[in-house]
Amino acid sequence: MEEIGLDASVLAFNGAVILVTTLLFGMMPAFREAKPNPADTLRTVGARTTVDRGKIRFRQGIVVAEVAFGALLVVGAGLMIRSFQKLLAEDPGFETENLRFARFTLPAAEYEPQEAVVFFDQLLDGARGLPNVTHATLLSRPPLRWRDQNGRFHIEGRPVAASAPLCCVASPVTVGEGYFETLELPLVRGRLLEPGDHQADAPMAVVIDEAAALRWWPNEDPIGQRVRFGS
């Protein structure tokens, strides 16, 4: 969403095209009428009673087409604005007020896994110590940004096909301590992530949403199940 915006050069180009088009198609007929040719005027007056009916229909058709296309553009613009308003009013499922995201990359070649954990712990401590900050957390990508790279996984105990060893597709997000509290995401069942879950030697913990539970475990309890990502 932060990548959506108006480009000044595109606006300037469109404005120039509109201006030139308006002058070209609006002023040229005016110039022609300002310098009438007497012979053309006499021929026009004499031919008024014998105007080709096909030309009249053609001109009327052009007017109808212009009105139809104009109405289509107005309706389309109205629907787009209405859809955007509904999108802004939609509840995303997490708290959005006073929420800020900062994106950065930690060079993997310069940090061992445990050094990275220490760095992130210090980063969170510093962020939480800022004035007016109540919660802070780490995550691999912001909510609602779909990214299915390495999002395939397999559920333990289910058959594996030779052509598709990973049966399922999800959009995984790696999160740190305090993620659910920061975004005010409610717990439905099970438990949330605990402080020890983010340690390098700790077993990996997974929290799923209701959509994943209904899709992949429709007739069984997903709590306690094991999944495998990649190899």
Side-chain angles (χ1 to χ4, degrees):
M1 294 294 291
E2 71 274 9
E3 296 175 359
I4 299 177
L6 295 176
D7 188 280
S9 59
V10 174
L11 289 176
F13 175 79
N14 287 332
V17 170
I18 293 173
L19 179 62
V20 172
T21 304
T22 302
L23 292 176
L24 180 64
F25 290 94
M27 300 301 293
M28 289 300 294
F31 283 130
R32 292 185 58 184
E33 294 296 331
K35 298 179 180 180
N37 189 325
D40 293 338
T41 303
L42 291 175
R43 283 196 296 269
T44 301
V45 173
R48 283 179 180 175
T49 57
T50 60
V51 173
D52 188 358
R53 294 181 180 271
K55 291 183 179 180
I56 295 178
R57 294 193 185 97
F58 178 74
R59 293 172 182 174
Q60 292 175 343
I62 291 179
V63 173
V64 172
E66 290 178 343
V67 173
F69 281 117
L72 181 63
L73 289 174
V74 172
V75 172
L79 291 175
M80 183 183 66
I81 294 174
R82 179 59 179 165
S83 299
F84 188 66
Q85 290 175 339
K86 293 182 65 176
L87 178 64
L88 293 179
E90 186 72 18
D91 182 11
F94 60 92
E95 179 60 41
T96 59
E97 294 294 330
N98 300 317
L99 185 66
R100 297 293 180 268
F101 288 98
R103 295 192 297 178
F104 66 95
T105 301
L106 188 65
E110 300 179 13
Y111 289 85
E112 295 295 330
Q114 190 57 40
E115 293 177 338
V117 171
V118 173
F119 174 87
F120 290 136
D121 286 340
Q122 294 176 348
L123 178 65
L124 283 179
D125 289 340
R128 290 166 181 162
L130 294 174
N132 301 322
V133 173
T134 57
H135 296 284
T137 188
L138 295 167
L139 64 161
S140 58
R141 59 178 173 83
L144 303 182
R145 172 166 291 183
W146 170 263
R147 182 175 298 169
D148 60 356
Q149 290 92 335
N150 301 322
R152 301 191 65 87
F153 66 95
H154 181 73
I155 300 173
E156 187 180 47
R158 299 190 182 182
V160 179
S163 59
L166 301 176
C167 69
C168 313
V169 179
S171 183
V173 182
T174 304
V175 303
E177 181 184 355
Y179 169 76
F180 296 92
E181 294 81 3
T182 302
L183 272 68
E184 297 186 11
L185 292 170
L187 175 65
V188 178
R189 293 186 58 210
R191 72 169 179 89
L192 299 177
L193 299 177
E194 298 176 350
D197 289 331
H198 73 290
Q199 297 297 327
D201 56 349
M204 297 183 67
V206 178
V207 178
I208 63 174
D209 59 11
E210 289 183 286
L214 293 174
R215 180 175 183 181
W216 304 116
W217 291 274
N219 301 316
E220 55 185 318
D221 189 357
I223 297 178
Q225 301 284 345
R226 284 160 49 93
V227 297
R228 172 171 58 86
F229 290 93
S231 58

